[in-house]
Amino acid sequence: MFEVNVAPFVATTAMQSNLCPALPSTVDRHSRETGYMNHTATAADTQCINTIRTLAMDAVQKANSGHPGTPMGLAPVGYTLWSRFLRYHPEHPDWPNRDRFVLSVGHASMLLYSLLHLAGVVEIDAHGKRSGEPAVSLDDIKQFRQMSSKTPGHPEYRMTTGVETTTGPLGQGCANSVGMAMAERWLAKRFNRDGQVLFDYDVYTLCGDGDMMEGISSEAASMAGHLRLDNLCWIYDNNTISIEGHTELAFSEDVIKRFQAYGWHTVHVTDANDLQALSVALQTFKANTGAPTLIVVDSVIGYGSPHKHNTAAAHGEPLGEDEIRLTKAAYGWPQDASFLVPDEARATLRDALVERAEPLFAEWNQTLASLDPQRADELQRMRAGEMPEQWQADLPNFAADAKGVASRASGGEVLNAFAQHIPWLLGGSADLSPSTKTNLTFDGAGRFSADDYSGRNLHFGIREHAMGAIANGMALSYLRPYTSTFLVFSDYMKPPIRLAAIMELPVIFVFTHDSIGVGEDGPTHQPIEHLTQLRATPGLLTLRPGDANETLELWKVALAQTHRPSCVVLSRQPLPTLDRSRYASAAGAAKGAYVLAGADKPEVILIATGSEVSLAVAAYEQLTGEGIAAQVVSMPSWELFEDQDQAYRDSVLPPSVKARVVVEQAGPLGWDRYVGQAGAKVVMNSFGASAPLAKLQEKFGFTLENVVGLAKQQIQHNRPE
């Protein structure tokens, strides 16, 4: 890989009255070879850039909250990209082949809101239709960071048209963009045929020092370089300021050399205000092949403020009225004007975008109209979040088997059955597919790689954090991704899981090795608190099937989601496959909890999930044999159960039956809601241990004798006196 150093054509970082200086009459040899034509900055360019800067100052000041400095410093970068390069139609912001712009530095949200406003982007409503209203109006900007506004503190997907992904937690947007770039490569292989091009978009990501410090960005960058994603461009705002002060306090590496080691092309622009240098750098990206591109841009945070590296600008505070007046004066802007948007500024950016995108959009629609019916139907369903008509055909059926099968194994069989009918279902593991059983093994599944982007088996390497965020990026690009690793390593994936829930993305996170059933691997690999953490996440489905047939039913539930991510939690150890002629149909799992078997008027209810269901069933059988009216409930999903109406919930857990026992090899938190304060809990109140499974079950009370004994105690304690 190589570095291109785009030196500033005007050597300055000091404040200038002309923030976009005139450019020289010639450009260097590299610029000519890449086809870049000299472009002299105009008064209109300067006006647009200063509009972005002053809107950021005014919005943050009015809200008395926010980050004005980064939008001020990056205004020339955002404007240059949008006005000269971004393929984006303001009237069709949902165009599938648009370039993606990801603001990984989500605290600089006013930069994105200002660009969307100046571009005249049209709102797409909740039904996917153009409303005719602006995506971001001037009134929306005036409501920055206020309740129910379309301009929240950090950009939020689904809330504001034009926001490609929810950003804020640093590094997440970077990794999302890798997923978007991977998705484009897969979509191009799937849909571009015989000279017809439906997908060839680029992904641009604006990132900062914080992104570069977060480990997830390193994971994502390493994978992007390995996959040679030359449709991906990260623009790194090298302003050398973080909240605690100068980045030299904690950050001294050579970022350019780091990315070259990852296999990226690198370009260095030493003045963020030099529009021609920025344009040369972006044209270099467009010309590069075989690797993603990092453009390092040296900027001054809060550019134009009389106080260099203004403390408020750097630390996310309003500049203050006096500072704003002085800064506007430095821009040649009316000092007393607030939220001033000249008509010419709106026209300049919008016209540039439309002029570039309109012929491409028209050509794209012509290509779409000429698609064969199969591809046209696939694309329509992918965009709508729908499954193919026959997606549940040819599913396996698991016969009763006392020895049983691990739910990771039955889950792999089920996944392969579904995937053969859902071409855009793809995924992989964090280097664990032989253990998680998530390889797609049917003919044609293939392996996604730099040599073949059509494959559906993804190899994320040992990069759990990036894996989750990359999957989110793919879900934002019409695909249905799944990931897999051990449940204990969901710790490494909490941020992207949480963001998938916030964004309502139907990503499927598969977690195996779900309990102390891991055995000899010991406490470091035995999940305890993890189910509680997942269940505590709003909008997330946690699905823990009790046997192979429940696994099938819960995969159906996960795949049927359109606005909700799912965690499918599976066992390593074999689980008996229940005889459904004796016990209730596994279809009840789709309601979150159901009565497997038992008396109409039970004296005691046994509740279990996952690998502990078979133990609860065994206890039920013994109690029944002793003449005790017991009932056993499988509860694979709290969230699905809570979605049911009160009548159904009461039919499964009758309020009159106070004697209850829960059995789950996980922490106790939350089970009081189902068993009551006085209910018995056979759960984990400590970390596990390294030993064979049978010894662990005996040590921690997961035995038939203990469960039966606690059930009898519950009956005794709850008998009327």
Side-chain angles (χ1 to χ4, degrees):
M1 298 304 106
F2 62 89
E3 176 188 359
V4 176
N5 184 54
V6 184
F9 294 103
V10 177
T12 179
T13 56
M15 182 173 55
Q16 304 170 56
S17 58
N18 179 5
L19 299 179
C20 304
L23 305 177
S25 58
T26 60
V27 294
D28 61 22
R29 178 179 61 83
H30 176 77
S31 301
R32 291 194 300 273
E33 288 178 352
T34 58
Y36 174 71
M37 299 302 294
N38 190 22
H39 181 104
T40 301
T42 65
D45 295 330
T46 303
Q47 185 181 61
C48 286
I49 291 167
N50 287 341
T51 301
I52 294 168
R53 286 170 162 158
T54 56
L55 282 176
M57 289 188 289
D58 290 339
V60 171
Q61 185 65 32
K62 184 175 186 294
N64 195 31
S65 174
H67 300 255
T70 304
M72 293 165 66
L74 290 181
V77 179
Y79 173 75
T80 300
L81 173 60
W82 280 58
S83 65
R84 301 184 184 179
F85 293 90
L86 198 70
R87 176 171 54 193
Y88 191 94
H89 200 307
E91 295 179 3
H92 303 280
D94 57 346
W95 176 24
N97 202 33
R98 68 190 180 279
D99 286 345
R100 270 56 168 184
F101 175 73
V102 175
L103 188 74
S104 194
V105 282
H107 57 276
S109 56
M110 269 309 305
L111 173 64
L112 178 53
Y113 300 147
S114 298
L115 288 166
L116 292 170
H117 177 65
L118 292 182
V121 175
V122 174
E123 180 186 60
I124 302 294
D125 65 21
H127 305 290
K129 306 296 184 182
R130 287 185 292 169
S131 71
E133 298 296 320
V136 177
S137 68
L138 191 58
D139 284 340
D140 292 326
I141 288 176
K142 291 178 181 179
Q143 292 301 306
F144 179 57
R145 286 182 168 235
Q146 303 309 299
M147 181 67 73
S148 302
S149 78
K150 292 193 290 185
T151 51
H154 295 84
E156 295 190 30
Y157 178 70
R158 295 190 192 276
M159 181 176 289
T160 312
T161 299
V163 172
E164 300 285 3
T165 181
T166 295
T167 56
L170 291 171
Q172 293 292 325
C174 289
N176 290 166
S177 71
V178 174
M180 293 174 183
M182 290 169 63
E184 186 280 330
R185 286 293 182 250
W186 189 89
L187 290 164
K189 284 290 185 181
R190 182 76 182 176
F191 289 99
N192 297 353
R193 298 179 193 170
D194 304 322
Q196 295 179 320
V197 176
L198 276 177
F199 291 98
D200 63 349
Y201 66 79
D202 291 324
V203 182
Y204 298 92
T205 305
L206 203 51
C207 49
D209 291 307
D211 291 292
M212 289 299 150
M213 295 184 206
E214 288 285 1
I216 184 174
S217 301
S218 296
E219 292 181 24
S222 174
M223 188 163 184
H226 174 73
L227 292 172
R228 301 199 292 271
L229 299 174
D230 56 18
N231 58 342
L232 178 65
C233 179
W234 289 4
I235 304 171
Y236 165 35
D237 173 29
N238 181 35
N239 62 42
T240 70
I241 289 291
S242 60
I243 289 177
E244 291 187 353
H246 198 286
T247 51
E248 65 187 8
L249 291 170
F251 192 59
S252 55
E253 68 207 44
D254 188 325
V255 172
I256 286 176
K257 288 183 179 178
R258 168 153 67 104
F259 273 73
Q260 288 174 346
Y262 289 146
W264 288 52
H265 294 296
T266 61
V267 184
H268 190 188
V269 177
T270 57
D271 185 353
N273 298 295
D274 193 327
L275 269 62
Q276 184 174 355
L278 292 168
S279 296
V280 170
L282 288 163
Q283 190 65 37
T284 299
F285 156 65
K286 297 290 289 184
N288 282 339
T289 59
T293 296
L294 175 73
I295 300 175
V296 179
V297 180
D298 298 343
S299 74
V300 176
I301 196 167
Y303 191 88
S305 172
H307 301 103
K308 291 293 141 224
H309 290 119
N310 179 281
T311 301
H315 294 181
E317 302 171 8
L319 295 179
E321 296 290 353
D322 292 341
E323 187 87 358
I324 288 175
R325 287 174 58 85
L326 291 170
T327 305
K328 287 179 178 178
Y331 295 160
W333 206 254
Q335 295 185 52
D336 296 322
S338 184
F339 296 100
L340 173 61
V341 182
D343 290 340
E344 299 88 342
R346 287 195 181 94
T348 297
L349 184 54
R350 184 187 182 283
D351 290 352
L353 286 164
V354 171
E355 181 180 356
R356 185 165 54 251
E358 185 64 40
L360 298 171
F361 180 71
E363 181 182 357
W364 188 88
N365 278 295
Q366 290 176 358
T367 303
L368 180 64
S370 65
L371 277 185
D372 60 86
Q374 178 184 341
R375 284 190 296 162
D377 179 70
E378 280 189 14
L379 184 55
Q380 185 276 328
R381 290 178 182 275
M382 292 170 69
R383 294 181 67 183
E386 298 174 355
M387 290 285 107
E389 284 189 13
Q390 301 299 316
W391 71 282
Q392 295 190 40
D394 307 316
L395 296 179
N397 179 52
F398 298 95
D401 182 355
K403 181 179 179 182
V405 61
S407 54
R408 62 170 175 167
S410 58
E413 185 176 345
V414 168
L415 169 61
N416 271 271
F418 282 121
Q420 291 185 66
H421 296 287
I422 308 171
W424 52 95
L425 175 62
L426 69 168
S429 76
D431 196 49
L432 288 171
S433 58
S435 291
T436 60
K437 309 300 182 185
T438 47
N439 261 343
L440 301 181
T441 56
F442 52 86
D443 288 345
R447 179 173 66 89
F448 187 94
S449 70
D451 299 318
D452 182 5
Y453 292 123
S454 68
R456 295 168 60 189
N457 283 298
L458 308 180
H459 296 275
F460 291 101
I462 307 170
R463 303 183 180 101
E464 291 92 348
H465 197 175
M467 174 174 70
I470 287 170
N472 287 349
M474 301 182 93
L476 289 161
S477 309
Y478 316 122
L479 304 183
R480 287 302 304 270
Y482 65 87
T483 68
S484 67
T485 185
F486 296 170
L487 179 57
V488 74
F489 300 138
S490 64
D491 286 337
Y492 288 91
M493 298 181 67
K494 183 61 167 63
I497 292 172
R498 183 173 189 269
L499 284 167
I502 289 174
M503 289 190 277
E504 302 178 357
L505 302 177
V507 179
I508 299 174
F509 302 98
V510 178
F511 294 114
T512 67
H513 296 58
D514 66 342
S515 67
I516 61 170
V518 173
E520 292 86 347
D521 279 343
T524 62
H525 281 54
Q526 293 168 2
I528 304 297
E529 71 279 18
H530 301 77
L531 286 173
T532 300
Q533 292 174 349
L534 296 174
R535 288 168 177 158
T537 305
L540 177 69
L541 288 179
T542 304
L543 311 171
R544 189 172 185 240
D547 76 348
N549 287 303
E550 280 194 7
T551 302
L552 171 63
E553 296 300 328
L554 293 175
W555 259 105
K556 285 183 188 177
V557 169
L559 287 167
Q561 300 306 307
T562 58
H563 290 74
R564 206 171 186 181
S566 304
C567 293
V568 181
V569 182
L570 306 172
S571 73
R572 184 184 76 166
Q573 70 274 24
L575 308 181
T577 304
L578 298 176
D579 183 350
R580 296 294 169 169
S581 66
R582 292 189 59 203
Y583 302 107
S585 167
K591 292 187 174 182
Y594 65 110
V595 178
L596 269 175
D600 292 337
K601 295 182 179 180
E603 296 178 80
V604 64
I605 298 175
L606 308 176
I607 309 170
T609 81
S611 53
E612 290 74 70
V613 169
S614 57
L615 175 57
V617 168
Y620 156 78
E621 294 288 1
Q622 180 169 322
L623 290 166
T624 301
E626 296 178 14
I628 296 173
Q631 194 174 82
V632 60
V633 170
S634 175
M635 184 178 277
S637 174
W638 291 13
E639 300 84 14
L640 290 175
F641 184 61
E642 293 299 328
D643 286 344
Q644 309 308 311
D645 61 33
Q646 190 64 51
Y648 178 79
R649 298 201 303 272
D650 288 348
S651 72
V652 175
L653 299 175
S656 61
V657 183
K658 306 297 184 184
R660 300 181 183 185
V661 181
V662 64
V663 187
E664 185 176 67
Q665 291 179 6
L669 192 63
W671 276 112
D672 289 350
R673 71 193 301 182
Y674 297 120
V675 300
Q677 292 291 327
K681 305 183 193 76
V682 185
V683 293
M684 292 296 296
N685 293 293
S686 68
F687 293 112
S690 177
L693 176 57
K695 295 292 186 182
L696 291 169
Q697 290 172 326
E698 182 179 354
K699 174 180 173 62
F700 293 108
F702 294 94
T703 63
L704 179 60
E705 179 184 17
N706 186 43
V707 174
V708 168
L710 288 171
K712 292 177 178 179
Q713 288 180 18
Q714 282 288 301
I715 294 171
Q716 184 67 33
H717 291 160
N718 285 280
R719 277 182 178 156
E721 301 199 3

